[in-house]
Amino acid sequence: MLEHVPPIYTLCPVILYIAGLCVHRIYFHRLHQHPGPLLAKLTNWYAAYYTWQGTIHLKLREWHDAYGPIVRFGPNSISMNSPTAMAQIYSARANVRKDDAYSVMSASSHIPSTISCLDKGQHAAKRRILAQLFTPSALKGVEERVLSHIRTFCASLGESSQDGRATDMAVLSDYLTFDIISDLCYGQAFGLLQCTALRYIPNVISRISRRNAICFIQPAIQKYRLDRLFLAPISTQIRAFGRWIQQQQKEHPHKITPDFRSHLTTSTITHSGPDPRPLTNKEVWIELLQLVIAGSDTTAVALSAAVFHLCHHAAALARATAEVRTHFPTTVEAIRPGSPQLRRCTYLHACIHESLRLAPPVTGLAPRRVLEGGIQVDGVWLPAGIVLGCPIYAVQRDRTCFPAPDRYFPGRWEGVLDSSCKGEESDDMGEEERQQQRQKRSRMLSAFCPFSVGPRACVARRFAMDEITVTLARALFLYDLRLAGRENADTGTGAAGAAEYALKGWMTSGREGPVVYASPREGCSL
Ligand code: HEM
């Protein structure tokens, strides 16, 4: 009988269902009163499209500018753009948990890593173990291994300049950070700085980061396993990477020296049982893989961004270089993590902070699911079951916290970073002025969140900052840096014509360049 029915009528139920769903999502959904782009209210595919493009961080900022501090960017998803929302949503007391989408970040569908763990108790137990890797004494224990890779990085920077070649800092920074983290996790570095065999690995991680970002926005992609299509072009490389990891597991047990791997294999966990138990072999390898993914390209983006901003701002570059060379008058080897002279390089720290503010390695919104009972954020009531978060890129460009937010101005951090320092406060200031000064400082610090905030913030913040600061200081000590040609000066041009490090807003930011020449400083050798 159906063959006599014109095809359009057979589609009627589907059309009616879709029309009904659209009407419901626009007018009757429990988030209907919150503003946002129309298409975003209808489907997650809208934001997923911009995520795939790598522009979701720019779009979220644009939408916040257009609609205000609260934006509905998906049928069930809310973005809030304020430092106070950041503090409330990500605090230990907030009635939220990580969204189910985080499961995409673990190498196993049964065993979560610390970063992908949804259960608060289980997370706390795992986090306690990871935190031990990054205590000052644990970091001291791996310092020489980290420095050996930084030396190779600095040597590579000089070698290419000797041959008259410029260096792509995005590529070289990747090589450095992947070598450091693989050495500490597997007892064997990938060796990217020195040989070409495994140089496909940063590309694999970047693809995974892009896949993860899009699965965060559109969970249907993971549910129906469409994400496999995104990874298909690199399936051979993924398998080769897996084989390399398995090889380390078999071949190097005798190589265990104090590092992340040896620490995890000797750790015990106190969760889901009365007694502490050692981590299983699988748990150890899942944690290590997570550290490789979370601790490689994040730090690399921060490093290449810092060089980008310095090379585009001659006065800042000159001042940071002079500061390093004044505090370290004789040898580059004195530049070590936590050295008192390095701490005194306040302008260098300001440059790194300003760069992390403008070009955060994680630009996006870490999604949290509201639990039974709902949550009040910035005076707005949000019901259970919805997904919400704060977009780091937009929060760090908040106009009330950072005047001229798109401008690279390291000077704004002077006096803010050192808590004992009075900053711009002077003795002739009145109490009211002093108070304003303190408020300005606390506003800036509250909106600076490249490592996120609260109990799920980056566990390795100190380690990452040391890596970036020591590498940058050593590069400035040894070389005069400059951009290789005008064409590279425009890796991206942002608001108000300011040089903008063009980021792809995936899980970790994608980027290119800057391409620089590093001329050996006169009278100085490695
Ligand atoms: C500049 C460099 C880095 C930045 C900007 C950064 C940023 C972040 C951010 C924003 C988060 C929170 C993610 C979320 O809630 O979804 C995070 C978590 C995490 N990061 Fe980092 N990270 C950096 C370096 C590192 C390094 C070097 C490692 C390891 C060696 C690392 C390991 C982790 C881990 C394990 C977590 C999960 C913590 C938890 O859930 O308790 N990160 N990071």
Side-chain angles (χ1 to χ4, degrees):
M1 278 298 138
L2 266 179
E3 64 267 24
H4 302 302
V5 181
I8 187 72
Y9 293 122
T10 59
L11 286 177
C12 268
V14 179
I15 294 169
L16 278 176
Y17 172 76
I18 294 175
L21 194 65
C22 291
V23 170
H24 171 262
R25 287 186 172 171
I26 296 172
Y27 298 108
F28 303 105
H29 191 279
R30 54 207 175 136
L31 297 180
H32 79 271
Q33 76 275 29
H34 297 298
L38 182 65
L39 281 175
K41 292 177 183 179
L42 295 178
T43 170
N44 283 322
W45 288 106
Y46 188 62
Y49 168 76
Y50 290 114
T51 307
W52 183 244
Q53 296 283 311
T55 54
I56 187 68
H57 58 303
L58 303 176
K59 279 286 155 190
L60 279 168
R61 187 174 186 224
E62 194 182 306
W63 293 337
H64 277 294
D65 283 346
Y67 299 106
I70 174 160
V71 165
R72 187 176 168 204
F73 70 98
N76 202 36
S77 315
I78 289 288
S79 168
M80 298 192 76
N81 180 19
S82 80
T84 44
M86 186 89 202
Q88 290 166 33
I89 294 169
Y90 298 98
S91 86
R93 287 187 311 277
N95 191 30
V96 298
R97 65 157 168 81
K98 278 196 166 181
D99 185 41
D100 303 325
Y102 273 91
S103 63
V104 75
M105 291 182 84
S106 178
S108 156
S109 49
H110 310 296
I111 306 175
S113 59
T114 304
I115 203 165
S116 68
C117 200
L118 306 185
D119 178 81
K120 289 186 182 182
Q122 192 184 15
H123 168 260
K126 283 176 182 280
R127 172 127 181 162
R128 271 195 294 278
I129 295 176
L130 274 198
Q132 295 303 312
L133 308 180
F134 303 105
T135 60
S137 66
L139 292 181
K140 194 82 199 147
V142 295
E143 188 176 296
E144 257 321 306
R145 271 159 84 168
V146 173
L147 286 175
S148 73
H149 296 292
I150 295 178
R151 281 184 206 110
T152 313
F153 168 92
C154 289
S156 307
L157 197 54
E159 272 161 27
S160 43
S161 292
Q162 263 172 14
D163 305 342
R165 283 178 292 124
T167 302
D168 186 328
M169 286 305 295
V171 174
L172 200 67
S173 309
D174 274 347
Y175 293 170
L176 170 69
T177 57
F178 277 85
D179 277 358
I180 291 177
I181 197 74
S182 52
D183 188 1
L184 300 185
C185 285
Y186 300 123
Q188 170 79 24
F190 293 141
L192 309 188
L193 280 167
Q194 281 153 319
C195 82
T196 55
L198 299 176
R199 284 188 179 168
Y200 64 86
I201 290 176
N203 181 42
V204 168
I205 303 296
S206 169
R207 271 276 178 156
I208 291 176
S209 152
R210 193 173 182 186
R211 187 272 310 247
N212 289 355
I214 194 165
C215 289
F216 263 42
I217 299 278
Q218 176 50 289
I221 292 177
Q222 196 195 2
K223 190 169 163 197
Y224 299 111
R225 311 216 160 176
L226 296 173
D227 56 320
R228 293 181 176 201
L229 295 176
F230 299 143
L231 297 183
I234 54 157
S235 58
T236 317
Q237 295 177 336
I238 293 178
R239 275 197 296 276
F241 182 35
R243 275 196 302 277
W244 185 89
I245 291 176
Q246 276 169 0
Q247 222 175 0
Q248 306 318 309
Q249 200 169 0
K250 285 192 206 122
E251 285 181 7
H252 297 282
H254 60 283
K255 262 193 160 183
I256 294 180
T257 52
D259 59 15
F260 295 172
R261 175 181 174 177
S262 62
H263 179 87
L264 289 175
T265 45
T266 54
S267 292
T268 53
I269 185 162
T270 36
H271 183 253
S272 66
D275 300 317
R277 61 162 180 85
L279 292 177
T280 63
N281 215 12
K282 189 154 187 192
E283 282 171 326
V284 169
W285 287 88
I286 284 172
E287 288 300 313
L288 291 177
L289 185 57
Q290 158 206 248
L291 290 175
V292 168
I293 294 176
S296 49
D297 50 358
T298 42
T299 315
V301 172
L303 187 56
S304 57
V307 173
F308 174 92
H309 287 115
L310 283 173
C311 287
H312 279 82
H313 296 85
L317 177 62
R319 188 168 162 196
T321 307
E323 183 182 67
V324 169
R325 294 177 186 178
T326 309
H327 282 96
F328 295 95
T330 50
T331 160
V332 72
E333 280 306 315
I335 304 177
R336 305 179 83 84
S339 86
Q341 299 100 301
L342 194 56
R343 255 183 265 134
R344 270 181 240 126
C345 291
T346 49
Y347 190 72
L348 180 72
H349 294 297
C351 291
I352 293 171
H353 274 72
E354 185 66 345
S355 181
L356 276 169
R357 182 183 74 78
L358 287 171
V362 179
T363 53
L365 170 158
R368 299 296 185 256
R369 191 164 284 269
V370 179
L371 297 173
E372 217 44 61
I375 186 173
Q376 179 101 5
V377 183
D378 277 353
V380 177
W381 177 254
L382 294 157
I386 69 142
V387 172
L388 95 154
C390 294
I392 291 179
Y393 180 87
V395 171
Q396 296 199 138
R397 289 179 185 234
D398 184 303
R399 287 176 183 80
T400 57
C401 303
F402 302 105
D406 298 314
R407 187 174 155 217
Y408 175 77
F409 176 43
R412 72 171 94 232
W413 290 101
E414 286 183 281
V416 172
L417 297 176
D418 180 356
S419 56
S420 63
C421 177
K422 287 199 278 170
E424 290 168 30
E425 282 179 34
S426 85
D427 290 342
D428 346 317
M429 274 182 182
E431 192 43 45
E432 199 179 324
E433 218 174 328
R434 226 180 273 272
Q435 190 65 22
Q436 279 173 0
Q437 205 52 48
R438 283 185 206 127
Q439 280 169 358
K440 177 190 135 192
R441 204 176 310 146
S442 83
R443 271 203 305 274
M444 282 174 68
L445 292 175
S446 71
F448 181 71
C449 48
F451 296 95
S452 189
V453 297
R456 303 302 297 253
C458 185
V459 68
R461 177 186 177 137
R462 184 192 334 217
F463 175 66
M465 286 304 266
D466 281 351
E467 239 180 299
I468 301 160
T469 313
V470 171
T471 308
L472 192 57
R474 285 191 174 217
L476 295 178
F477 179 96
L478 293 167
Y479 302 109
D480 293 324
L481 299 180
R482 75 184 154 84
L483 283 175
R486 272 315 297 171
E487 69 277 12
N488 295 311
D490 295 318
T491 309
T493 300
E500 172 96 15
Y501 196 38
L503 299 175
K504 293 284 185 189
W506 298 318
M507 192 61 84
T508 304
S509 309
R511 82 291 188 215
E512 287 173 5
V515 182
V516 299
Y517 282 120
S519 324
R521 167 189 172 188
E522 212 150 293
C524 174
S525 61
L526 277 174

